[in-house]
C-alpha cells in the first residue's frame, strides 16, 4: 500500500488557511482615481514574496506586480511592510470597464505540494458620482476618525446622514444633519459652502469595523449616497493621531504591528454598493459564478484523486497477488 499512501500525500496538498491573508472583500472608487489596497498576512509569511493578481479564477489569474521585482509600472505598484505584516498595492488611473474585476492579495509559498496563499476581493470602478468619499479609512482603538463626504451642488440644501450596515435596505442611521448634534459617539456637520459634510466617530472599538454610508436624503426618488469601509485596530505608535483624517492614499505606516490584525472582516464582506447603482447585481453574478466554478473544480479534483487512488490500489493489489 506504499504507492497509495504516496499518492494521497502528493494529491491531497495543503489548502491555504482561511485567515492567513486578509483584505477587504469589495472596494469601490471613481474612474481616473487611484486606490490603495491593504493586504494583511500572518507572521509566518513575513519573509515571503507577495504579489498582486487579476482574474476571476485563482488558477488562471494574471500577476500584475511582485515584491521581488522592480516597481516600474505606472499602473500598479506593490510595497511590503514586514514590520506591520501588511503589503500595499496601489492602482492608478483606474478605468470603469477595464479595471472593474476580481483581484487577489497573494503570498508565494514555494514548498513542494503547497499552494500559494491568497484572498480575493472585488474592485468596482464607477463613473463620477453625485456623492463621493474615500474607499476606506482606519483608526486605532479608542481613537477618532473624520470622514469627508462630498456632494454635488444640487444637494446643497438637502439633509445629509450617516448610515451603518452592509445592506443599504437595512442600514442604521447614526446621525443626521437636521438633528441636534451632541458630543457623543457620532456627529455630523454640513458645510454647504464647500459642498461637503463631515462625520466624526469617537472612542472607536474593534466592533465598530463595518461598512458605512455617506448619504443624502432625496424627496421622492431613492436617496443618493456611497459606502466606505472602516477598520479599527489595536493602538500602535505608528497609527494616525486621533481625529486625523486617514484616506486610502495616506495609509502607509498606519497599521498594527506584531500579529494583531483588524477585526470585523465578517461584517465588511459584501456591501450592497452605491445607493443609486445597479451594478451590484453584476458583481453578485460574478461572485456566484466564481464560487460555482470553484466548487465544480474542487469536486472534479476530488473525483480525479479518488479515481487515481482507486486505480493505484487495484494495480498494487494485483501485483501483490502475483507473488502468492
Amino acid at each position: 500500500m506504499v504507492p497509495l499512501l504516496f499518492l494521497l500525500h502528493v494529491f491531497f496538498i495543503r489548502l491555504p488557511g482561511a485567515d492567513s491573508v486578509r483584505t477587504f472583500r469589495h472596494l469601490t472608487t471613481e474612474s481616473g482615481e487611484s486606490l490603495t489596497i491593504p493586504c494583511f498576512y500572518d507572521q509566518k509569511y513575513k519573509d515571503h514574496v507577495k504579489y498582486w493578481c487579476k482574474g476571476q479564477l485563482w488558477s488562471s489569474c494574471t500577476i500584475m506586480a511582485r515584491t521581488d521585482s522592480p516597481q516600474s509600472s505606472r499602473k500598479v505598484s506593490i510595497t511590503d511592510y514586514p514590520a506591520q505584516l501588511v503589503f500595499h498595492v496601489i492602482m492608478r488611473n483606474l478605468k470603469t470597464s477595464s479595471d472593474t474585476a476580481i483581484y487577489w492579495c497573494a503570498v508565494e509559498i514555494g514548498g513542494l505540494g503547497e499552494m500559494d496563499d491568497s484572498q480575493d476581493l472585488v474592485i468596482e470602478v464607477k463613473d463620477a458620482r453625485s456623492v463621493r468619499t474615500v474607499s476606506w479609512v482606519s483608526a486605532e482603538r479608542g481613537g477618532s476618525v473624520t470622514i469627508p463626504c462630498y456632494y454635488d451642488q444640487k444637494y446643497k440644501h438637502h439633509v445629509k446622514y450617516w448610515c451603518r450596515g452592509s445592506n443599504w435596505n437595512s442600514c442604521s442611521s447614526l446621525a443626521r444633519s437636521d438633528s441636534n448634534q451632541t458630543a457623543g459617539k457620532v456627529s455630523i456637520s454640513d458645510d454647504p459652502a464647500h459642498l461637503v459634510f463631515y462625520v466624526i466617530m469617537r472612542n472607536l472599538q474593534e466592533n465598530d469595523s463595518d461598512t458605512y454610508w455617506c448619504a443624502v436624503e432625496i424627496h421622492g426618488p431613492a436617496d443618493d449616497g456611497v459606502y466606505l469601509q472602516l477598520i479599527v485596530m489595536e493602538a500602535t505608535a505608528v497609527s494616525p493621531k486621533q481625529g486625523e483624517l486617514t484616506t486610502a492614499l495616506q495609509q502607509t505606516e498606519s497599521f498594527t504591528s506584531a500579529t494583531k490584525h483588524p477585526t470585523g472582516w465578517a461584517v465588511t464582506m459584501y456591501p450592497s454598493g452605491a445607493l443609486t447603482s445597479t451594478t451590484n447585481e453584476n458583481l453578485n453574478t460574478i461572485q456566484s459564478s466564481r464560487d460555482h466554478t470553484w466548487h465544480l473544480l474542487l469536486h472534479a479534483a476530488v473525483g480525479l484523486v479518488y479515481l487515481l487512488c482507486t486505480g493505484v490500489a487495484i494495480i498494487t493489489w494485483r501485483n501483490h497477488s502475483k507473488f502468492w
Side-chain angles (χ1 to χ4, degrees):
M1 295 300 290
V2 174
L4 177 58
L5 293 176
F6 176 77
L7 189 67
L8 289 172
H9 174 73
V10 171
F11 281 93
F12 282 97
I13 55 179
R14 181 194 66 83
L15 293 178
D19 297 323
S20 296
V21 179
R22 294 169 292 281
T23 188
F24 297 111
R25 299 305 302 271
H26 187 178
L27 289 174
T28 183
T29 189
E30 289 191 8
S31 179
E33 296 295 328
S34 297
L35 180 64
T36 297
I37 304 97
C39 301
F40 300 92
Y41 53 86
D42 281 355
Q43 178 74 29
K44 62 184 178 181
Y45 293 153
K46 186 174 182 178
D47 299 319
H48 286 239
V49 171
K50 288 81 178 181
Y51 60 97
W52 180 246
C53 206
K54 176 181 179 180
Q56 182 172 343
L57 295 178
W58 167 244
S59 59
S60 60
C61 69
T62 301
I63 296 177
M64 305 182 72
R66 292 172 56 94
T67 56
D68 62 347
S69 300
Q71 303 299 310
S72 58
S73 173
R74 295 183 179 180
K75 180 71 174 181
V76 183
S77 62
I78 185 171
T79 306
D80 191 14
Y81 299 96
Q84 286 77 46
L85 300 180
V86 63
F87 66 94
H88 290 176
V89 176
I90 301 179
M91 300 190 66
R92 303 173 181 87
N93 191 26
L94 292 163
K95 302 301 181 183
T96 305
S97 56
S98 59
D99 294 319
T100 293
I102 296 170
Y103 296 85
W104 303 79
C105 295
V107 175
E108 190 172 77
I109 305 303
L112 178 63
E114 289 189 308
M115 297 172 60
D116 290 350
D117 211 341
S118 64
Q119 173 64 62
D120 63 319
L121 71 152
V122 174
I123 293 179
E124 184 180 10
V125 185
K126 299 174 178 291
D127 293 326
R129 305 191 56 79
S130 298
V131 181
R132 301 167 297 280
T133 189
V134 294
S135 296
W136 59 277
V137 294
S138 72
E140 64 181 36
R141 186 173 63 180
S144 301
V145 67
T146 300
I147 300 100
C149 302
Y150 302 93
Y151 53 86
D152 284 354
Q153 178 72 28
K154 62 184 178 180
Y155 294 151
K156 185 173 182 177
H157 301 295
H158 285 242
V159 171
K160 288 81 180 181
Y161 61 98
W162 181 245
C163 205
R164 174 178 181 171
S166 60
N167 191 336
W168 164 243
N169 295 323
S170 58
C171 75
S172 301
S173 179
L174 302 179
R176 293 172 56 92
S177 61
D178 61 348
S179 301
N180 293 330
Q181 300 299 312
T182 59
K185 177 79 171 182
V186 183
S187 63
I188 187 172
S189 59
D190 192 13
D191 183 3
H194 297 94
L195 300 178
V196 60
F197 68 93
Y198 295 97
V199 176
I200 301 177
M201 299 187 69
R202 305 173 181 86
N203 189 27
L204 289 163
Q205 304 301 315
E206 291 181 345
N207 59 9
D208 290 316
S209 297
D210 207 340
T211 303
Y212 293 85
W213 303 79
C214 295
V216 176
E217 190 172 75
I218 310 296
H219 299 290
D223 292 349
D224 201 353
V226 67
Y227 62 80
L228 69 151
Q229 309 284 4
L230 169 66
I231 325 173
V232 182
M233 298 171 289
E234 290 284 349
T236 173
V238 296
S239 291
K241 298 177 181 178
Q242 292 189 8
E244 178 182 352
L245 171 63
T246 56
T247 69
L249 294 180
Q250 292 171 324
Q251 302 285 346
T252 302
E253 297 291 342
S254 60
F255 296 96
T256 180
S257 59
T259 58
K260 296 180 179 179
H261 291 277
T263 59
W265 299 106
V267 294
T268 60
M269 296 287 279
Y270 296 105
S272 57
L275 306 187
T276 58
S277 172
T278 58
T279 56
N280 190 60
E281 296 179 1
N282 297 331
L283 290 172
N284 288 337
T285 301
I286 292 174
Q287 179 64 31
S288 298
S289 174
R290 179 187 60 189
D291 291 343
H292 180 65
T293 303
W294 175 254
H295 288 145
L296 288 177
L297 290 173
L298 182 59
H299 285 303
V302 172
L304 178 60
V305 170
Y306 176 79
L307 290 175
L308 288 173
C309 291
T310 302
V312 170
I314 292 173
I315 293 172
T316 303
W317 175 78
R318 287 180 175 177
N319 290 336
H320 183 71
S321 63
K322 291 179 180 179
F323 294 98
W324 295 93

